[in-house]
Amino acid sequence: MSRVKVSAPGKLMLLGEHAVIYGKPCLVAAVDKRMEVEVEKADKDMIEAPEGMDLRFVKMVLKKFKRKYGKSGVKVITKNGFSSSYGFGSSAAVTVALSRALFELFKIKISKKELFDFSFKVVREVQGLGSGFDVAAAVYGGVSYFVKEGKKIEELRVRELPIVVGYTGVKVKTAEVVRQVAELKKKQPEKVEAWLEKVGVMVEKGRELLIKKKWQELGKLMSENQEILRRLGVSSQKLERLIGAAMEAGADGAKLSGAGKGDCIIALVGEENRKRVEEAIRMAGG
Ligand code: MEV
């Protein structure tokens, strides 16, 4: 009996989190950590998953696939290629991997954009929010310029990205942080709108710098983005500690990546300082 095995990568937000929810573009990169899914036809739907995995996404993919294509009866085996605690977008990666596996299993040809649209609907229906940038990273890999809900997805020709990732050890609920920003925007609409506007401009500039590999300038831009994230109230002491340590050890720029309040920081680092920055982040508790 035919079996299909598919994996999809996690993501990091390079520039533009939160602003992307309000229609500004963002820059997203896939990471080399992947979620794996295996499927084969079966008498009825069955799911084998690691303990603690949020199965809502798997179930919703199966439900939507059946509704749209009339196909069901699948055994699904999922494997964690990375922890769901990092904020690397494990739910989006599982959703994309399983969706792609089902299309292959039932020999239905689809484009990347169709795979994005199908997977994004699944994630939206389960989470009720989200720009979809994590789904784009899982579908397209590499680095992309992204506008919410996939209104624009441009794959950028970026082959290298000198980045160090530091994990705070703190798990955050994205929905809560997104809600806090929405509240701040309600209270101080003009201020927040102006900040988001600035982030949009940074992303356009960052897109050019990435393509031209102007790393130091890109690093500076990341730090400027972090300043706005601070004003939006989504940074934290722990994030700041890791960012400060990375900068002191010679990073060209550093910021939180994702919703904020926890998860990860990213630091742009030249090869000569990489080891020092990694060590400094560890020493600071990352
Ligand atoms: C969270 O990782 C990034 C946000 O912009 C939410 C989203 O784009 O879905 C805060």
Side-chain angles (χ1 to χ4, degrees), residues 90-102:
S90 57
S91 306
V94 164
T95 301
V96 168
L98 175 57
S99 304
R100 219 187 102 195
L102 291 181

Side-chain angles (χ1 to χ4, degrees), residues 12 36 39 52 60 70 86 98 102-103 126 147-148 191 206 217 225 229 257 270 275 285-286:
L12 283 170
E36 272 177 35
V39 291
M60 187 59 80
Y86 295 160
L98 175 57
L102 291 181
F103 285 112
V126 175
V147 177
K148 80 168 178 182
K191 237 186 208 174
E217 285 174 63
N225 192 172
L229 291 163
S257 177
K275 281 265 162 323

Side-chain angles (χ1 to χ4, degrees), residues 11-13 16-22 26 87 89 120 124 127 129-134 146 148 172 174-175 177-178 181 229 234 257-260 263:
K11 54 75 187 170
L12 283 170
M13 182 69 98
E17 49 273 271
H18 290 288
V20 67
I21 298 270
Y22 298 96
C26 71
F120 177 59
R124 236 320 148 74
Q127 284 179 338
L129 77 126
S131 62
F133 81 103
D134 43 1
F146 177 83
K148 80 168 178 182
V172 292
T174 300
V177 190
V178 168
V181 173
L229 291 163
V234 300
S257 177
D263 289 348

Side-chain angles (χ1 to χ4, degrees), residues 142-153:
V143 179
S144 300
Y145 171 95
F146 177 83
V147 177
K148 80 168 178 182
E149 294 158 5
K151 287 193 182 104
K152 188 161 184 191
I153 308 172

